[in-house]
């Protein structure tokens, strides 16, 4: 009988312990979307973050899942939206920054004190404000003295809020979660958080943020948001390709015998590559070989027609600490002569190590040039301290297919002739325009004021196809004055322009040649 009572007590105790364990809520239990499919086992520690196995105080921070009816009434006057963005993608080793912005219901805004008030400028006649405030935190924190308040000032894991000079205005709590870890901070209606990606696995990850509004005895959820971000081992980049007289650069069709400009933009918002040695290796696919430069801006001229594949490899040598390498035991010997050497070592981390040149074959220690006397002792040398010349190499790649065609590469106004009043009702000029390259299909003239800023008239005509590029355009002027005349000739792939100033007096038209052969690229007309 006694044995049965003991066994029964043990069973009850076990059930009580199990239920107690199950009742404990942890950060991993309150994720809005649950465990993600891309979470694969253990993740390296993010500096300053805590594991989501830590306990979550649900009495202080109620946790609601998606679809919970309590979300409908968690904020006075409507719903709050949290917009979560990042400057992803991020190169491993760089920082990635997340920004959260709260969007309040219509006619609500945050004032300078951090309180939420009604915006009377968007007042609705059918609605009268009973109070200026939606949430007046200033009023109920007046009893605080130097941050020692009667209400709760701690995060869900029990850590106290960090001290801030503007703590009275930080009335929202932001809890970020990613890779089985969390980070908490207080803020106003927006918050910014940066993390280093050194210990983050390359790939697509998810960041979640939960936002709580502060209250006397507990804090209430007001919004949640999530966003994907990318960490990559390749340098994020894009290339802007442009060419003078090209009508539409987005179609990847460019003009023969005219330089094409390639402008490489590295996506590096945290300036991780600011001190890196960056090189750009181009192959343009036309048999011209490889072109290597440390300038992100390059140009190339194609002299052949056809389709070409161009490739870019960007290499960044990022200064970094020299990690320990395999100890090297020097064979006993007696040094009797001096030579110049440049030892190079490498390690499994992908770092390349270029040790400084030494002017002697004598043993050097810790990267410094220390000359020893001739000896026959065996010496072991291990490089363990950071030194100039240790780099982490990262690469980025770009490929594109382009088409090279004939195009209009130059336009010149070669002759301007007055038209007699008997031949025209208004003062008119015949413009003879010549071009080089392909034959244009259309010609447009824009007549503006003398500053070339205010258009007054625009005329466009189809050009009759001929064997040579020589076009005559008759244009009329409304009255005396000085006019800026822009003439553009175009075909399907290119558009070129020439300009001149024309002085018109009563009964006489005088053409003053100015800016002739001024050619520039114009955007493609829709």
């Amino acid at each position: 009988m006694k044995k049965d009572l003991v066994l029964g007590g043990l069973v009850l105790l076990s059930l009580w312990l199990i239920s107690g364990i199950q009742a404990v809520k942890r950060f991993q239990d309150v994720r809005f979307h649950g465990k993600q499919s891309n979470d694969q086992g253990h993740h390296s520690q993010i500096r300053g973050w805590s594991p989501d196995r830590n306990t979550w105080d649900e009495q202080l921070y109620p946790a609601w899942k998606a679809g919970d009816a309590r979300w409908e009434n968690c904020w006075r006057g409507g719903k709050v939206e949290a917009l979560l963005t990042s400057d992803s993608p991020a190169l491993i080793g760089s920082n990635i920054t997340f920004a959260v912005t709260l969007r309040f219901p219509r006619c609500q805004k945050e004032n300078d004190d951090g309180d939420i008030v009604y915006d009377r400028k968007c007042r609705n006649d059918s609605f009268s404000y009973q109070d200026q405030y939606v949430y007046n935190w200033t009023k109920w924190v007046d009893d605080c003295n130097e941050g020692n308040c009667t209400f709760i000032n701690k995060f869900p894991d029990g850590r106290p809020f960090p001290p801030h000079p503007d703590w009275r205005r930080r009335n929202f709590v932001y809890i970020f979660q990613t890779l089985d870890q969390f980070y908490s901070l207080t803020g106003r209606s927006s918050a910014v958080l940066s993390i280093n990606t050194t210990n983050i696995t390359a790939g697509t990850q998810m960041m979640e943020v939960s936002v709580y509004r502060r209250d006397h005895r507990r804090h209430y959820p007001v919004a949640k948001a999530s966003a994907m971000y990318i960490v990559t081992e390749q340098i994020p980049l894009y290339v802007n390709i442009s060419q003078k007289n090209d009508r539409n650069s987005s179609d990847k069709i460019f003009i023969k015998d005219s330089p094409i400009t390639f402008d490489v933009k590295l996506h590096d918002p945290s300036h991780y590559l600011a001190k890196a040695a960056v090189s750009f290796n181009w192959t343009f696919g036309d048999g011209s070989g490889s072109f290597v430069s440390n300038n992100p801006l390059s140009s190339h001229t194609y002299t052949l027609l056809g389709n070409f594949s161009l490739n870019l490899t960007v290499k960044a040598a990022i200064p970094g600490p020299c990690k320990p390498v395999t100890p090297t035991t020097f064979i006993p010997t007696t040094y009797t002569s001096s030579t110049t050497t440049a030892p190079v070592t490498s390690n499994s981390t992908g770092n390349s190590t270029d040790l400084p040149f030494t002017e002697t074959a004598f043993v050097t220690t810790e990267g410094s040039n220390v000359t020893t006397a001739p000896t026959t002792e065996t010496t072991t040398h291990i490089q363990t301290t950071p030194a100039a010349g240790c780099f982490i190499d990262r690469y980025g790649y770009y490929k594109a297919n382009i088409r090279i065609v004939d195009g209009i590469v130059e336009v010149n106004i070669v002759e301007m002739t007055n038209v007699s009043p008997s031949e025209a009702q208004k003062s008119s000029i015949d413009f003879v325009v010549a071009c080089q390259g392909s034959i244009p299909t259309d010609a447009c003239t824009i007549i503006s004021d003398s500053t070339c800023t205010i258009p007054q008239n625009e005329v466009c005509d189809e050009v009759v196809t001929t064997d040579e590029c020589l076009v005559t355009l008759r244009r009329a002027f409304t009255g005396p004055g000085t006019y800026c005349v822009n003439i553009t000739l175009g075909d399907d792939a290119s558009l070129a322009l020439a300009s001149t100033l024309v002085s018109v007096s009563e009964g006489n038209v005088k053409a003053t040649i100015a800016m002739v052969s001024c050619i520039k690229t114009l955007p493609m007309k829709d």
Side-chain angles (χ1 to χ4, degrees):
M1 181 70 177
K2 184 182 292 185
K3 184 177 181 180
D4 292 339
L5 290 174
V6 172
L7 290 175
L10 290 174
V11 170
L12 290 174
L13 180 61
S14 299
L15 292 174
W16 179 80
L17 290 173
I18 292 173
S19 63
I21 293 173
Q22 291 176 343
V24 174
K25 182 156 290 189
R26 305 183 186 279
F27 278 77
Q28 62 189 7
D29 301 324
V30 300
R31 291 177 61 170
F32 199 60
H33 296 284
K35 193 172 181 64
Q36 301 302 312
S37 59
N38 62 341
D39 286 350
Q40 300 176 356
H42 175 74
H43 296 285
S44 298
Q45 179 73 28
I46 303 175
R47 181 179 299 178
W49 286 54
S50 303
D52 64 2
R53 298 184 302 275
N54 290 11
T55 56
W56 173 287
D57 188 346
E58 192 172 19
Q59 294 297 319
L60 184 59
Y61 288 84
W64 305 335
K65 294 294 185 181
D68 194 309
R70 287 174 290 184
W71 284 108
E72 300 296 327
N73 300 308
C74 66
W75 186 269
R76 297 171 188 166
K79 291 184 178 181
V80 176
E81 294 182 10
L83 306 179
L84 176 61
T85 60
S86 76
D87 55 10
S88 165
L91 180 64
I92 285 182
S94 68
N95 290 345
I96 183 170
T97 299
F98 298 88
V100 187
T101 303
L102 299 183
R103 180 180 294 172
F104 300 111
R106 184 177 180 271
C107 295
Q108 296 183 14
K109 66 177 183 178
E110 184 183 45
N111 65 10
D112 293 339
D113 294 326
D115 299 317
I116 308 302
V117 298
Y118 291 104
D119 185 0
R120 299 186 181 278
K121 293 182 180 179
C122 68
R123 186 172 183 173
N124 191 332
D125 293 337
S126 62
F127 176 77
S128 61
Y129 300 114
Q130 297 179 354
D131 189 4
Q132 175 186 356
Y133 294 92
V134 183
Y135 290 98
N136 186 353
W137 287 289
T138 302
K139 181 178 180 180
W140 58 266
V141 299
D142 284 340
D143 60 345
C144 298
N145 181 20
E146 298 299 329
N148 299 318
C149 303
T150 57
F151 51 86
I152 305 300
N153 277 335
K154 63 181 181 179
F155 292 114
D157 60 345
R159 290 185 302 109
F161 291 165
H164 287 284
D166 62 340
W167 63 270
R168 288 174 175 265
R169 299 179 178 88
R170 292 173 171 261
N171 296 309
F172 293 96
V173 180
Y174 297 85
I175 302 159
F176 294 85
Q177 290 180 270
T178 188
L179 301 175
D180 300 333
Q181 299 167 65
F182 72 91
Y183 187 90
S184 305
L185 57 85
T186 58
R188 300 186 60 173
S189 60
S190 62
V192 176
L193 174 68
S194 294
I195 61 176
N196 186 267
T197 60
T198 298
N199 293 333
I200 297 180
T201 303
T204 301
Q205 312 292 352
M206 175 176 282
M207 175 68 75
E208 293 186 17
V209 62
S210 303
V211 186
Y212 284 74
R213 63 172 174 85
R214 298 178 61 183
D215 210 312
H216 292 79
R217 302 191 181 279
R218 64 168 54 184
H219 309 309
Y220 291 93
V222 296
K224 283 180 176 282
S226 61
M228 308 301 292
Y229 65 96
I230 299 174
V231 177
T232 175
E233 294 178 328
Q234 295 186 7
I235 302 172
L237 60 91
Y238 69 93
V239 180
N240 181 35
I241 307 177
S242 61
Q243 184 185 49
K244 183 181 289 187
N245 302 337
D246 178 41
R247 195 159 193 168
N248 179 17
S249 60
S250 63
D251 61 7
K252 296 295 190 295
I253 300 176
F254 299 94
I255 305 167
K256 182 173 76 74
D257 296 327
S258 180
I260 302 175
T261 300
F262 302 90
D263 190 4
V264 184
K265 302 293 185 182
L266 304 183
H267 181 72
D268 184 33
S270 68
H271 307 290
Y272 177 60
L273 303 176
K275 296 183 179 180
V278 182
S279 62
F280 305 85
N281 189 337
W282 282 99
T283 56
F284 297 102
D286 59 352
S288 59
S290 178
F291 174 74
V292 181
S293 171
N294 59 2
N295 190 336
L297 193 65
S298 302
S299 65
H300 183 72
T301 300
Y302 286 87
T303 59
L304 301 174
L305 302 176
N307 298 317
F308 300 93
S309 297
L310 54 90
N311 292 271
L312 168 66
T313 299
V314 178
K315 177 183 177 181
I318 307 165
C322 297
K323 297 186 178 181
V325 297
T326 304
T328 301
T329 301
F330 294 94
I331 300 174
T333 183
T334 299
Y335 300 108
T336 57
S337 63
S338 297
T339 59
T340 300
T341 61
V344 177
T345 64
S346 62
N347 57 44
S348 60
T349 64
N351 293 0
S352 61
T353 307
D354 299 328
L355 300 181
F357 280 96
T358 58
E359 296 301 326
T360 175
F362 297 153
V363 176
T364 61
T365 305
E366 298 298 324
S368 61
N369 294 336
V370 180
T371 303
T372 65
T375 179
T376 58
E377 296 180 358
T378 301
T379 305
T380 300
H381 174 211
I382 304 178
Q383 177 75 29
T384 58
T385 59
C390 299
F391 302 96
I392 301 172
D393 293 333
R394 298 295 185 192
Y395 296 87
Y397 305 94
Y398 173 81
K399 295 182 179 180
N401 296 317
I402 63 174
R403 182 183 176 189
I404 304 300
V405 299
D406 282 321
I408 304 171
V409 296
E410 186 176 350
V411 171
N412 291 284
I413 301 173
V414 296
E415 184 178 341
M416 291 176 286
T417 305
N418 295 338
V419 179
S420 64
S422 61
E423 298 181 37
Q425 295 180 351
K426 296 181 179 181
S427 300
S428 302
I429 295 179
D430 283 343
F431 296 88
V432 181
V433 184
C435 65
Q436 297 180 14
S438 61
I439 304 300
T441 58
D442 55 80
C444 290
T445 304
I446 299 177
I447 299 176
S448 308
D449 67 332
S450 60
T451 64
C452 299
T453 57
I454 303 176
Q456 298 179 357
N457 187 29
E458 180 177 0
V459 179
C460 293
D461 301 306
E462 292 185 0
V463 174
V464 179
T465 304
T466 60
D467 294 335
E468 61 178 346
C469 182
L470 195 65
V471 181
T472 300
L473 303 172
R474 176 168 296 183
R475 296 295 181 249
F477 299 87
T478 57
T482 301
Y483 299 89
C484 173
V485 179
N486 292 327
I487 298 176
T488 60
L489 302 182
D491 59 10
D492 292 338
S494 58
L495 191 67
L497 174 146
S499 299
T500 187
L501 290 177
V502 174
S503 179
V504 178
S505 59
E506 197 70 40
N508 182 39
V509 179
K510 180 181 179 182
T512 303
I513 298 178
M515 297 181 292
V516 176
S517 301
C518 175
I519 307 169
K520 64 180 179 180
T521 303
L522 299 179
M524 180 180 180
K525 297 181 180 179
D526 295 331

